[in-house]
Amino acid sequence: MNTLTMTEAGAALPAPPPQRGRKAGLDQDSPFAVAAFAGPALLLFAAFIVLPLLLALCATFTNHRLMSPEPTQFVGLENYRRLLSVDVVTVDALRGSGGAALRDQDGLRFPTWRQVRQAHPELGGYREAFHLRLGERRLVLAATDPQFYRSLINTFLFALLVLPLQCGSALGMALLVNQKIRGRIFFRTVYFAPVVTSMVVASIVWSIMLNTDRGLVNEVLRALSGDPNTGPDWLGDSLFALPAIAVMSAWQGMGFQMLVFLAGLQSIPHEQYEAATLMGANAWQRFVHVTLPGLRNTIVFVLVSTALLAFGLFTQVDVMTSGGPLDSTTTVVYHSVRTGFREQDIGYGSTIALVFFGLVLALSALQRMVAAKGGAK
């Protein structure tokens, strides 16, 4: 029997049916529902992030090798000692009988590293990573694995090269395709096309373009200059190899950052530009005082994501230069993969990867703190 309720006008209306209680399993705030939604994500995170990290951490304490007849042994912190042991050595120039520094056609003469190690037996397991000239002295950074520190320097150099090039080009393209011009959809597609291209394919094509003898880049330079010998050895010269890879990487990845910047530009209210125009601001002033402040969060996101991708440089180096010439393009990731799989030293390769992971994680946290402080101002 339905219950009647009285309205203000006095009309009788049927009372609303009583609400049935929800089942505990279907309540969106219940632990079961939370677990049902978060479970797959947590499972994938554990399978592809936590488990590989734990396996790598365990491998760092062993001398595990691939296809080795010797059993795996526990070595403790030996891999970390081998990776992180460094020493700074001051080496004086060679001097003659009169005490004056000896010179040759290349400048001051210094003893070889073998002679230095003979004079300092405690440096027997160390090799020269790089040195700095200070007057008649040479400051040498010696390490048990100098290649790790060279690759670390190359990784940071690549990030410093590719960050302004890729992000600046992406912002310029986003400003261009955001204009109300004919064919902007076509240009958006063209600019984004390299992103969906395989990095291996792009690296092979650029290797052909940068070929010293018959590459497209050098052929254009020779046609413009009229000199058949014009054109550097882009991938065979240690001075040009890393910048060439940075240009190629920026070309391949700037389309994604362009879309991110484009989304940020379209979120800025058009009224702000109209107000700035009425106040007499020119195009540059509108860009500085309206566009850049409106893109602050977008710029932080693009810089952080691009830096993380730059630290993971591997494919371009593996395809285009194989770490050369003279290890000038060897990065930490490439060094880790080469050590772990090509040299089959899984324990030491895992140590390199884990230490670099911690370094990148610390840098990401620092970037986040800086961005948070900048946003609080």
Side-chain angles (χ1 to χ4, degrees):
M1 182 175 182
N2 294 333
T3 303
L4 299 180
T5 59
M6 300 298 295
T7 65
E8 294 180 356
L13 295 176
Q19 295 183 356
R20 298 180 179 179
R22 294 182 179 178
K23 295 181 180 180
L26 299 178
D27 190 352
Q28 62 181 359
D29 296 328
S30 67
F32 177 79
V34 173
F37 281 103
L42 293 177
L43 181 62
L44 292 175
F45 180 79
F48 294 100
I49 302 296
V50 178
L51 182 59
L53 280 177
L54 291 177
L55 293 176
L57 179 62
C58 295
T60 60
F61 300 107
T62 68
N63 62 349
H64 180 62
R65 288 180 174 272
L66 292 177
M67 302 176 63
S68 175
E70 299 295 332
T72 301
Q73 297 179 352
F74 178 78
V75 297
L77 299 177
E78 177 62 24
N79 288 324
Y80 292 95
R81 185 204 64 79
R82 174 184 169 189
L83 179 66
L84 301 176
S85 295
V86 295
D87 197 356
V88 179
V89 183
T90 302
V91 180
D92 293 325
L94 296 174
R95 299 184 180 276
S97 57
L102 299 179
R103 297 177 179 271
D104 54 17
Q105 59 182 2
D106 297 327
L108 291 173
R109 293 178 56 188
F110 289 90
T112 63
W113 183 246
R114 177 177 295 181
Q115 294 172 334
V116 174
R117 287 192 301 179
Q118 290 176 352
H120 301 276
E122 68 275 10
L123 298 176
Y126 289 78
R127 291 173 291 166
E128 180 180 348
F130 46 85
H131 63 266
L132 179 65
R133 174 81 173 274
L134 298 174
E136 294 186 352
R137 292 183 176 181
R138 179 181 287 176
L139 200 63
V140 179
L141 178 66
T144 51
D145 184 10
Q147 185 59 60
F148 171 73
Y149 295 93
R150 297 193 195 112
S151 62
L152 191 63
I153 295 297
N154 291 336
T155 301
F156 280 98
L157 285 176
F158 174 79
L160 291 176
L161 287 172
V162 81
L163 269 177
L165 182 62
Q166 183 168 337
C167 297
S169 301
L171 179 58
M173 292 190 305
L175 291 172
L176 177 63
V177 299
N178 193 45
Q179 304 297 320
K180 294 181 179 180
I181 58 176
R182 296 183 60 183
R184 63 180 183 272
I185 303 298
F186 169 77
F187 287 110
R188 291 177 187 177
T189 305
V190 170
Y191 293 154
F192 186 76
V195 178
V196 297
T197 304
S198 170
M199 182 61 77
V200 175
V201 174
S203 300
I204 294 175
V205 171
W206 273 77
S207 298
I208 298 173
M209 292 173 56
L210 296 174
N211 183 270
T212 306
D213 299 324
R214 290 292 180 266
L216 176 62
V217 177
N218 281 351
E219 289 293 335
V220 172
L221 292 177
R222 290 163 187 164
L224 294 175
S225 64
D227 185 359
N229 298 321
T230 300
D233 189 359
W234 296 104
L235 300 179
D237 191 333
S238 58
L239 183 63
F240 297 104
L242 193 62
I245 294 178
V247 172
M248 177 265 165
S249 302
W251 167 84
Q252 197 273 342
M254 67 178 63
F256 174 76
Q257 281 83 356
M258 179 201 69
L259 290 184
V260 177
F261 278 127
L262 184 61
L265 288 172
Q266 294 179 349
S267 66
I268 301 175
H270 187 68
E271 290 78 7
Q272 296 183 9
Y273 289 101
E274 293 179 349
T277 303
L278 292 175
M279 295 175 64
N282 56 30
W284 174 251
Q285 291 172 334
R286 291 195 299 269
F287 173 76
V288 172
H289 297 289
V290 178
T291 304
L292 289 183
L295 291 177
R296 182 182 56 83
N297 294 331
T298 305
I299 292 174
V300 171
F301 169 76
V302 170
L303 289 176
V304 172
S305 60
T306 306
L308 294 178
L309 291 174
F311 288 143
L313 175 66
F314 171 76
T315 304
Q316 301 92 305
V317 172
D318 189 39
V319 174
M320 299 175 71
T321 61
S322 298
L326 301 176
D327 292 324
S328 61
T329 59
T330 299
T331 61
V332 177
V333 176
Y334 183 81
H335 180 45
S336 174
V337 173
R338 180 175 59 185
T339 302
F341 293 97
R342 297 181 184 176
E343 299 177 6
Q344 300 187 6
D345 193 348
I346 294 296
Y348 189 62
S350 300
T351 305
I352 298 173
L354 200 64
V355 169
F356 186 60
F357 172 78
L359 180 61
V360 173
L361 191 64
L363 290 175
S364 301
L366 180 61
Q367 287 179 328
R368 187 178 181 85
M369 292 174 56
V370 172
K373 289 182 179 179
K377 294 181 179 179

